[in-house]
Amino acid sequence: MPASPSTARAINDRLALRLMQQEGPLTAGQLKQLTGLSRPTVADLVERLTVAGLIAVVGESGEQRRGPKARLYGIVAGRAHLAALDVRTGGVSVLVSDLLGGVLARASVPIGGDTGTGPAVEQAVTLVERAAKEAGAASLHTVGIGAPGLIDPATGELRDTTGLPAWHRRLVTALQERLPARVIVENETNLAALAEQREGVARDRGTFVLLWLGHGTGAAVVLDGALRRGASGGTGEIGFLPVPGTRTLPSATDCEGGFHSLAGAAAIAELAKEYGMPTQGQSDGPGAAALVRRAVRAVEGRDAGADRAAGEGPAIEDGPAAGEGPPAGAGRPGAPDQDTASGFLDALADRLAIGAASVTAVLDPGCVVLGGEVGQAGGHMLAGRVRERLVRMSPLTTEVRASALGGGAVLRGALLTARDGAQDDLFAPPAR
């Protein structure tokens, strides 16, 4: 059936807005060319969107740069403000952006394990309110939250999961009560996969699995361009995967004995200690990433020398992280020697390949992204080692890529989710 005039107008309006989002400001003539609509139809939609406060003249284009035909129309970024939260066991990070995702403010706060539920929630909510004020946002339209644990697919709520702080679940309710905003909650690993798909190393992949390697472990599954959550929201809870090499089996309430015991931050720190690398209590995500990065640099020192001898550049280009000091082998006390670092990376790749081979055997994704802080720190060197082991373990051809976004992928994914939600609402046709 042909669309009614009102439906056709709504379709045209959304098309024009999406084009401005993708291409940036456009003239009426460019909109006509890109949409294939007639000149009068484009003129009507420009007027409607301008009156609605969704677009405005942001400049002029063309050689003469004057007259109606030269006017550039762009989305009004300040039409709505958004917030994104990355909720971790030990704290919260937040950023506030405009409707187009331009970041206006960032903030974070650590929350100790001995902090009560009420005070922890108050700290997190106050952080969001302070960041919004700093960004000049009178109100927030949509808030995207990334959190560990299961999200109920029926209600969209964070489920009460043993082992996670009680304030996580209460925070969602508190934000809904304190802010006049729509609140969207998603599993942190799923958001990381969304960010890698939109802005990271999986932009050319419609099907892939992201293996999250940070404080804990997890996986996100994207099949044919769509994120898969499962019947109970638990797709990718790979920390509970029974694997060889552990002393026990996981239970319904504890992933100890599962893949988590091989690849979680504490396990990586213990493995580094076994290889004689100084760990200095580095058993959280950033700490484990620092150990892996140090090992990569130690091996890179030898490999880079071989590359230069062959007339090639370094294997990995990666400057020192903040507070890390000079690369291993450059005189820093406690830096691992090359053989020690290589042995540690080989052993870690052995462990990661077990989890990667398991999901590959079931899903055949064609690509596994090593995500989180640890995946990014390992870079091409660790990804290549895992790939070599997959070739021996599985008949299925599978790429292994290192994350481009690391731990920051959760916050980026939360922002993308908030932006999508806000634009779907604001770009929708008015209710009749």
Side-chain angles (χ1 to χ4, degrees):
M1 294 179 61
S4 66
S6 60
T7 300
R9 286 193 293 270
I11 293 173
N12 293 339
D13 290 354
R14 288 176 70 91
L15 175 59
L17 288 164
R18 292 301 179 194
L19 285 170
M20 290 181 194
Q21 180 190 57
Q22 296 166 9
E23 305 293 335
L26 298 169
T27 65
Q30 290 170 329
L31 280 171
K32 175 182 179 297
Q33 182 179 8
L34 291 170
T35 61
L37 299 173
S38 67
R39 192 180 304 278
T41 300
V42 169
D44 287 343
L45 75 82
V46 166
E47 183 179 0
R48 279 196 305 275
L49 295 176
T50 301
V51 171
L54 291 172
I55 68 172
V57 176
V58 296
E60 293 185 329
S61 176
E63 294 181 0
Q64 297 183 352
R65 294 185 179 276
R66 64 172 183 268
K69 293 182 179 181
R71 292 173 186 164
L72 278 169
Y73 296 93
I75 294 174
V76 178
R79 181 70 167 75
H81 289 92
L82 321 170
L85 278 73
D86 181 0
V87 180
R88 302 288 180 102
T89 303
V92 177
S93 296
V94 61
L95 60 81
V96 177
S97 81
D98 57 33
L99 182 59
L100 292 178
V103 177
L104 304 174
R106 293 177 181 268
S108 62
V109 63
I111 297 178
D114 57 350
T115 307
T117 299
V121 170
E122 185 60 31
Q123 287 184 52
V125 175
T126 300
L127 181 75
V128 176
E129 293 175 334
R130 188 169 68 244
K133 183 177 181 181
E134 179 184 339
S139 63
L140 295 172
H141 184 283
T142 304
V143 177
I145 302 176
L150 301 179
I151 309 298
D152 190 317
T155 64
E157 296 179 351
L158 184 65
R159 289 171 53 183
D160 189 7
T161 306
T162 302
L164 293 176
W167 61 267
H168 280 195
R169 194 162 188 266
R170 174 59 188 148
L171 173 60
V172 176
T173 303
L175 287 170
Q176 291 171 330
E177 293 173 348
R178 292 265 290 268
L179 303 175
R182 178 188 181 192
V183 179
I184 304 172
V185 188
E186 180 59 271
N187 174 268
E188 59 178 356
T189 307
N190 287 344
L191 290 179
L194 173 65
E196 293 288 356
Q197 183 185 34
R198 298 268 198 95
E199 302 178 347
V201 298
R203 282 173 290 183
D204 62 333
R205 303 292 310 196
T207 295
F208 69 97
V209 168
L210 180 133
L211 196 62
W212 177 264
L213 305 169
H215 178 73
T217 59
V221 177
V222 176
L223 300 177
D224 300 324
L227 187 67
R228 308 296 180 176
R229 296 176 176 82
S232 61
T235 294
E237 287 294 326
I238 199 173
F240 288 89
L241 180 73
V243 293
T246 62
R247 290 185 289 270
T248 183
L249 289 173
S251 69
T253 58
D254 189 355
C255 60
E256 188 66 29
F259 182 64
H260 172 83
S261 295
L262 291 184
I268 292 174
E270 189 62 32
L271 181 65
K273 190 182 299 182
E274 291 176 14
Y275 276 82
M277 294 176 58
T279 60
Q280 301 173 340
Q282 294 171 305
S283 60
D284 60 357
L291 291 170
V292 173
R293 187 179 299 110
R294 201 170 299 149
V296 166
R297 286 175 178 156
V299 177
E300 187 182 19
R302 177 178 60 193
D303 292 345
D307 290 337
R308 282 192 293 271
E312 298 177 2
I316 299 176
E317 296 181 2
D318 182 21
E324 279 287 307
R332 189 180 64 231
D337 62 59
Q338 294 172 339
D339 289 337
T340 295
S342 183
F344 164 67
L345 290 175
D346 283 339
L348 178 57
D350 287 341
R351 294 182 174 196
L352 299 183
I354 293 174
S358 298
V359 297
T360 295
V362 175
L363 298 171
D364 187 19
C367 178
V368 172
V369 176
L370 302 184
E373 297 95 343
V374 172
Q376 184 182 42
H380 303 306
M381 190 175 293
L382 181 59
R385 280 168 158 78
V386 175
R387 162 68 177 155
E388 290 171 1
R389 285 149 179 80
L390 274 184
V391 169
R392 298 196 298 265
M393 296 169 67
S394 171
L396 306 175
T397 302
T398 308
E399 288 187 75
V400 180
R401 302 178 180 180
S403 166
L405 304 174
V410 176
L411 207 53
R412 288 302 306 172
L415 177 58
L416 289 169
T417 298
R419 191 185 73 182
D420 288 349
Q423 290 182 352
D424 283 344
D425 178 39
L426 293 172
F427 294 176
R432 296 181 63 184

